[in-house]
Amino acid sequence: MKQYRAFCFDLDGTVYRGKEAIPTAVKFIHQLQEKKLDVFFVTNNSSKTPSQIRETLKQFGIDASEKQIYSSALVTAKYVKERFGQAKVYVIGQDGIRRAFQEQNIGMVEEKPDVVVMGIDRMITYEKLTKACLAVQNGAALIGTNEDIRFPTEEGFHPGNGSFVKLVSQVCNVEPIFMGKPSPVMLEMIQQEYGYGKEEMLMIGDNYDTDILCGIRFGCDTVHVNTGVVKAEAVKEKELQPTYYVEDLSEFHI
Ligand SMILES: [Mg+2]
């Protein structure tokens, strides 16, 4: 086994499942922390702030600082600031994304934005979608925090942020820019901020199309855990393969 220094975890399906911790993952994270290896949490969920995610992890017995949590909301706000400077932004989304924009001092407006940013919004309305469509037709850039079309729940699939971004993109005939996994932007940010080599980083997740592809596109090793939504048999049929397969993280030795 190579010597990894930075272990980047997906959350749902990898560290916990819905409202329950995955004990083998929690134990593995404790082992990493005892060995003073670096742990990061990389999530496409833009609705929660890093402090809310930290609270969730705490309930599952994991101590993490906010600096170890990379959400698509945070990365989107940093990206807008770097690429668009003093742009005004129309935001569709919840707490996490709004807080991230406030922290980067990016102005949020309802009229005449330069950029439309879409994150998951459980109070989305026809009016909000129309506003986004009109702004994009007037030249605003279209950014989605993540491109997940659906996400699994106990009762079945719920619509994901990507389904609403796709709607706006199709109405306006414009290609959106996506920030969350499988885009490698979040891993690139961890690498830049901490100075790791790609060979020192490991991406761990249950979802091939987001987590594993994110690691592959970034260029680091990947672990598929069989504790979540996408089962190993399905992943084995993909052309680009993860570096390791484990049933759960008790099988991964460091
Ligand atoms: Mg997952």
Side-chain angles (χ1 to χ4, degrees):
M1 197 69 71
K2 290 190 206 162
Q3 292 297 304
Y4 300 106
R5 284 173 61 207
F7 293 74
C8 307
F9 290 84
D10 166 57
L11 289 176
D12 210 345
T14 303
V15 176
Y16 53 77
R17 218 180 285 117
K19 293 183 174 64
E20 278 178 31
I22 298 174
T24 46
V26 175
K27 196 173 170 202
F28 183 65
I29 290 166
H30 289 163
Q31 287 169 353
L32 295 174
Q33 289 174 329
E34 277 163 26
K35 294 192 177 191
K36 305 265 181 269
L37 294 165
D38 296 342
V39 172
F40 296 95
F41 300 95
V42 179
T43 175
N44 273 6
N45 185 347
S46 69
S47 68
K48 290 183 176 173
T49 65
S51 93
Q52 288 167 329
I53 294 169
R54 184 169 175 258
E55 276 307 306
T56 305
L57 288 169
K58 209 170 183 180
Q59 286 166 17
F60 297 138
I62 297 167
D63 266 324
S65 74
E66 289 182 29
K67 283 169 83 180
Q68 289 168 275
I69 297 164
Y70 284 73
S71 76
S72 60
L74 177 79
V75 172
T76 302
K78 286 184 181 174
Y79 180 91
V80 167
K81 186 148 199 179
E82 279 173 25
R83 292 293 169 91
F84 296 94
Q86 295 302 309
K88 293 189 187 68
V89 181
Y90 175 58
V91 176
I92 293 181
Q94 294 174 215
D95 276 9
I97 186 96
R98 290 181 187 280
R99 190 74 58 82
F101 277 88
Q102 279 164 4
E103 280 169 11
Q104 296 292 323
N105 291 315
I106 297 169
M108 285 177 277
V109 295
E110 293 290 314
E111 304 292 334
K112 298 199 170 109
D114 307 296
V115 183
V116 171
V117 169
M118 297 180 70
I120 188 71
D121 184 345
R122 290 176 179 84
M123 266 89 74
I124 198 153
T125 60
Y126 188 83
E127 191 194 349
K128 289 183 187 176
L129 289 165
T130 304
K131 219 177 236 187
C133 287
L134 293 173
V136 171
Q137 288 168 75
N138 284 324
L142 177 60
I143 297 180
T145 55
N146 63 298
E147 59 192 288
D148 306 348
I149 295 290
R150 61 183 81 87
F151 58 89
T153 72
E154 282 89 354
E155 58 184 7
F157 291 113
H158 286 191
N161 183 52
S163 59
F164 298 110
V165 179
K166 197 165 190 179
L167 183 153
V168 174
S169 129
Q170 286 184 336
V171 169
C172 306
N173 201 20
V174 160
E175 276 303 311
I177 308 164
F178 288 109
M179 296 286 110
K181 302 170 286 187
S183 153
V185 175
M186 291 199 277
L187 293 180
E188 284 167 4
M189 209 164 267
I190 294 173
Q191 185 191 23
Q192 278 165 19
E193 291 177 1
Y194 290 84
Y196 302 116
K198 286 184 183 180
E199 72 288 351
E200 296 176 310
M201 295 173 69
L202 190 63
M203 178 71 214
I204 302 162
D206 66 306
N207 189 332
Y208 180 86
D209 293 322
T210 53
D211 309 320
I212 303 301
L213 274 186
C214 173
I216 290 172
R217 288 187 188 168
F218 171 67
C220 70
D221 286 351
T222 55
V223 184
H224 178 266
V225 288
N226 215 14
T227 49
V229 285
V230 184
K231 293 297 164 194
E233 304 89 79
V235 179
K236 284 180 178 152
E237 289 172 9
K238 305 281 184 182
E239 192 190 332
L240 299 169
Q241 285 289 300
T243 318
Y244 310 100
Y245 282 99
V246 292
E247 275 306 307
D248 64 55
L249 286 165
S250 67
E251 291 178 8
F252 199 87
H253 300 289
I254 41 154

